[in-house]
Amino acid sequence: MHYIIEGGKKLSGQVTLSGNKNSVLPCMAAALLTEDEIVLSNVPDITDVDVFTEIFKKLGIGIKRKKDKIYIKAKKILETELPDELVKKLRASILLAGPIFARKRKVSFTFPGGDKIGKRSIDIHLQGFKSLGAIISKLSDVYFISKAKKNPIKKIRIFLGEASVTATENLILASVLSESKITIRNAATEPHVYDLCKLLNQMGAKINGVGTNSLKISGVKKLKGAEFRVSDDHINFGTYAIASAITNSKLKIICDKNTDLEPVIEALGKFGIKFDWENNGFLVFSERIVCSEKIVTNIWPGFPTDLMSSTIVLASQAEGSTLCHDWMFEKRMEFVKNLIKMGADISIIDSSKVFVKGKSNLSGHDFESSDLRSGMALVLAALIAKGVSTINNAELIERGYEDVAGSLSSLGANIKMS
Ligand code: EPU
């Protein structure tokens, strides 16, 4: 699958944010913790959700989709072995280990797949499971995790070596249905972790400290059904804001007022992008894109790594120079070689830092998208490039962005998918 984009069109109109990919997946995983029905709304139409749905069906779990809602009923979980070929399609598949472990006392899986943006170890997950009293073994490339037979440990403290998002979520999912009191310190605080905790508390879990990096969980015996709206995608918000600025357009981004967008608005605001709230969304525009001197990825509420690639495209259109630094994933910056081919003036300092000088005129090219976020960044670059660009491997982009060609076309871009 590929996108063919002719650059140079101004955008106008409005776009509605879809639900957060990295929130809907852990929320779907939470549904495995109860026999009752969980109904999730604002579910994005993306292929990562389709892969999770396939895995659920293989585990014998009832799941159906109607428009933006997903209905999940895990009356029974028939399998404790996660299907290898599907697990390898996305990193988030590891999130199913926590709830299956909690409900069935055992689970097995192979190393999860996903974007090739760095080493992406799972040691913090495994260490956390051990602290919860699990026995872990590995045979060829399959991990086996099971609950020890002896009495459960009453009080457990887990300190995460890094504030890993999926490790935090996995350990929350493994802890809420238990007989222990569990403290997780240095927990990740991303909006998706917040969503997961909110849903679980609605299901009857007892999680204190939600939204902070110190979570106190009192395990409960049973969880019940719930209806929950997945929060809007803050990365998509940043992506459309950048699309608006670089095409010198004014867009309205319709979103829920409660979506936590502050860290994104603060960082993009430094480039001169303006955000005005009007009734049901933000009017986004910029009179002049200026450089931001330095932009550094951080854990939430810092600047999100998932927006770094698109921000480099923004920096290439700013007056002046911006240092872009992403220490989290050592391969995040590899895609800039494609922007350089298009005419961007970027010096690669090392695997985590690039120095971007604006403003460059870009020209169209043919590319292979290598991961979800850098693929979307190339789409943005193609929107302003002179001539036609082809972005192959668009499947990777469709993993996390809903209807890219349809949404951008409706705003006036010349983009086709085939
Ligand atoms: N890390 C370890 N050991 C672990 C886990 C992580 O050393 O056991 C390190 C990683 O190597 C990395 C850092 O911790 O340096 C952060 O990794 P993290 O575990 O937080 O990343 P993740 O949980 O695998 C999630 C998102 C990513 C997003 C990161 C950071 C999901 C499904 N994925 O990944 O999203 O980049 O957090 O915010 O929630 C994306 O959506 O495109 C994406 C890659």
Side-chain angles (χ1 to χ4, degrees), residues 21-22 91 121 123-124 162 164-166 306 328 373:
K21 163 181 93 78
N22 289 339
R91 167 86 171 169
S121 137
D123 55 352
I124 297 173
E162 265 195 64
S164 158
V165 170
T166 46
D306 293 337
M328 201 176 282
R373 305 300 175 186

Side-chain angles (χ1 to χ4, degrees), residues 39-231:
V39 183
L40 301 175
S41 60
N42 200 29
V43 174
D45 189 5
I46 52 174
T47 57
D48 272 10
V49 169
D50 299 340
V51 175
F52 250 44
T53 303
E54 267 186 76
I55 298 180
F56 279 30
K57 286 183 178 161
K58 285 205 188 289
L59 299 177
I61 292 153
I63 180 160
K64 58 179 191 265
R65 178 170 190 141
K66 272 191 203 156
K67 298 188 177 160
D68 77 327
K69 284 193 176 162
I70 276 198
Y71 303 78
I72 305 170
K73 196 157 177 172
K75 186 90 191 134
K76 283 193 175 138
I77 299 175
L78 300 179
E79 291 289 336
T80 57
E81 192 183 325
L82 293 175
D84 197 20
E85 75 288 3
L86 295 171
V87 161
K88 289 197 169 127
K89 287 193 174 178
L90 77 178
R91 167 86 171 169
S93 55
I94 194 160
L95 294 175
L96 302 174
I100 296 177
F101 168 78
R103 225 166 125 194
K104 304 289 287 183
R105 302 185 66 88
K106 61 176 185 174
V107 62
S108 61
F109 54 90
T110 45
F111 197 87
D115 279 339
K116 311 266 178 292
I117 48 179
K119 212 163 92 215
R120 308 193 84 181
S121 137
I122 58 165
D123 55 352
I124 297 173
H125 297 245
L126 299 178
Q127 197 54 49
F129 275 110
K130 268 191 200 153
S131 306
L132 293 176
I135 298 164
I136 301 179
S137 56
K138 191 175 173 219
L139 200 59
S140 100
D141 61 347
V142 183
Y143 294 89
F144 296 87
I145 302 186
S146 58
K147 268 194 189 171
K149 290 247 164 22
K150 59 180 191 229
N151 292 337
I153 314 165
K154 287 286 174 214
K155 273 195 169 181
I156 299 170
R157 283 183 75 81
I158 302 175
F159 185 89
L160 302 184
E162 265 195 64
S164 158
V165 170
T166 46
T168 302
E169 292 165 345
N170 218 354
L171 298 174
I172 294 170
L173 287 160
S175 302
V176 283
L177 208 54
S178 71
E179 293 169 53
S180 310
K181 285 193 186 308
I182 298 148
T183 302
I184 305 176
R185 283 201 60 203
N186 199 24
T189 60
E190 267 67 5
H192 12 294
V193 181
Y194 185 72
D195 259 15
L196 173 66
C197 292
K198 258 180 26 185
L199 167 61
L200 286 168
N201 277 348
Q202 221 176 294
M203 291 166 66
K206 291 195 175 139
I207 310 172
N208 277 316
V210 175
T212 74
N213 66 1
S214 183
L215 300 172
K216 287 191 173 27
I217 300 170
S218 299
V220 296
K221 286 210 169 94
K222 212 170 155 62
L223 293 169
K224 58 180 193 299
E227 286 197 28
F228 185 77
R229 183 186 186 277
V230 173
S231 62

Side-chain angles (χ1 to χ4, degrees), residues 237-257:
F237 177 80
T239 309
Y240 281 110
I242 293 171
S244 154
I246 59 176
T247 56
N248 194 20
S249 311
K250 189 176 204 171
L251 291 182
K252 177 148 186 198
I253 307 178
I254 296 175
C255 56
D256 187 279
K257 206 171 184 178

Side-chain angles (χ1 to χ4, degrees), residues 344-358:
D345 186 351
I346 303 179
S347 311
I348 300 172
I349 299 169
D350 58 35
S351 61
S352 68
K353 289 188 217 81
V354 298
F355 193 65
V356 189
K357 275 194 201 157

